[in-house]
Amino acid sequence: MNPSKPRVIKDYDKLDPDIQEKIKLEYPSGYSENLIYFTNKDGKRVSALPFETDDKYYLVRMTVYEAEKIIEEDDDYDSTGSLKDSAKEEYETKYGDDDILAASDDVDEIDDVADDDFDDDDDDDDGGDDDED
């Protein structure tokens, strides 16, 4: 994880659809097995899916149940919870020039996220549009 990137904690359903599609490419076998756990600024233990773009480092807040439900209800995934080849090809074509996949070594560094400062977008609920990301 690049320490100079803005770090954002956000719910999956509040992410831009493009970011959701890129996450699908990063995690074609589903999300629940890739969740990490940390303590948020309020002292509450939270689970999230790590995801890094060129611009930002995301912790996509979700429980194991929510992660499984997202995949189950998403038409891009088959009944076994794997990203369908057609969806994978579509998104690879769409985002092929983007360097969206973080190095696997970077994911190991997030074990200490409780000590880091994250911008928890949901705390800024001013009724404005969250699509500024």
Side-chain angles (χ1 to χ4, degrees):
M1 177 175 71
N2 181 343
S4 64
K5 284 186 184 182
R7 295 171 287 183
V8 177
I9 299 174
K10 203 165 193 177
D11 292 329
Y12 185 83
D13 59 344
K14 293 185 179 182
L15 291 171
D16 183 275
D18 288 346
I19 297 295
Q20 290 179 357
E21 291 171 353
K22 291 177 183 182
I23 289 174
K24 291 176 188 182
L25 283 175
E26 176 80 9
Y27 299 103
S29 297
Y31 309 145
S32 62
E33 303 266 331
N34 298 288
L35 297 178
I36 57 104
Y37 297 87
F38 65 98
T39 304
N40 69 10
K41 65 182 179 180
D42 298 324
K44 183 177 176 185
R45 187 162 163 82
V46 178
S47 56
L49 185 70
F51 181 71
E52 188 170 356
T53 66
D54 290 337
D55 305 349
K56 295 181 182 176
Y57 182 77
Y58 291 90
L59 287 177
V60 183
R61 193 176 24 228
M62 64 179 75
T63 64
V64 171
Y65 173 78
E66 290 168 331
E68 291 171 352
K69 186 175 179 181
I70 289 168
I71 297 302
E72 184 179 306
E73 294 178 352
D74 192 326
D75 292 336
D76 287 339
Y77 286 86
D78 63 22
S79 61
T80 67
S82 296
L83 187 63
K84 293 178 182 174
D85 288 340
S86 58
K88 183 177 179 182
E89 290 171 13
E90 176 187 344
Y91 298 146
E92 284 176 340
T93 300
K94 188 174 181 180
Y95 303 110
D97 294 335
D98 292 356
D99 184 19
I100 62 166
L101 303 179
S104 60
D105 293 339
D106 291 343
V107 175
D108 294 335
E109 295 179 20
I110 57 178
D111 291 334
D112 296 323
V113 294
D115 297 329
D116 293 341
D117 293 327
F118 281 87
D119 178 13
D120 191 345
D121 280 358
D122 290 341
D123 289 344
D124 300 332
D125 192 13
D126 58 358
D129 187 52
D130 281 340
D131 289 339
E132 296 174 5
D133 300 326

